[in-house]
Amino acid sequence: MSSVMSFWPSVYERIRSGEKTIEFRRVFPKENSFAYMYVAKPIKAIKGIIYFGEKHTLNELKVIYKNDPDMLAQIENNLDSYRFGVDIIGFKEIEPITLEELRKNIPDFVAPQSYLLLENNPLLARYIEKRKKFSLR
């Protein structure tokens, strides 16, 4: 299963640089191995693909990272806001697909607040698959 997930520009950059290795979410789709990354304003475009490994509860992550004080601090800081942490195992940048383009080509398209499942949006899934081009950066 795949999705389109929304990210703040600063979070997108941390994932792109490899600095961020776990994605924290309140809700995470089952068996979601990758997601197209919709970057919120001011960017307003799908700009990348994020690949996921294992999904853990935050309490499981506390055990896994018990000897890593920096990661433990990140987990502790997210306990009140999120339920899950998912390993980020890869990233690929793609040429931007703008919100304007998506609205023009996908009737009633609304940018996701959290995520959109592509299995529930076959027109969007086909459009992204046809339109995506990997960046040369």
Side-chain angles (χ1 to χ4, degrees), residues 41-59:
K41 60 172 143 173
I43 307 297
K44 298 193 281 187
I46 295 173
K47 288 193 55 166
I49 303 172
I50 185 171
Y51 297 91
F52 299 113
E54 287 191 59
K55 176 173 85 171
H56 306 278
T57 66
L58 295 192
N59 285 328

Side-chain angles (χ1 to χ4, degrees), residues 59-76:
N59 285 328
E60 290 169 341
L61 286 174
K62 285 170 65 176
V63 172
I64 293 168
Y65 290 101
K66 66 183 175 201
N67 296 321
D68 183 336
D70 292 335
M71 187 59 77
L72 273 177
Q74 283 185 47
I75 295 164
E76 289 291 334

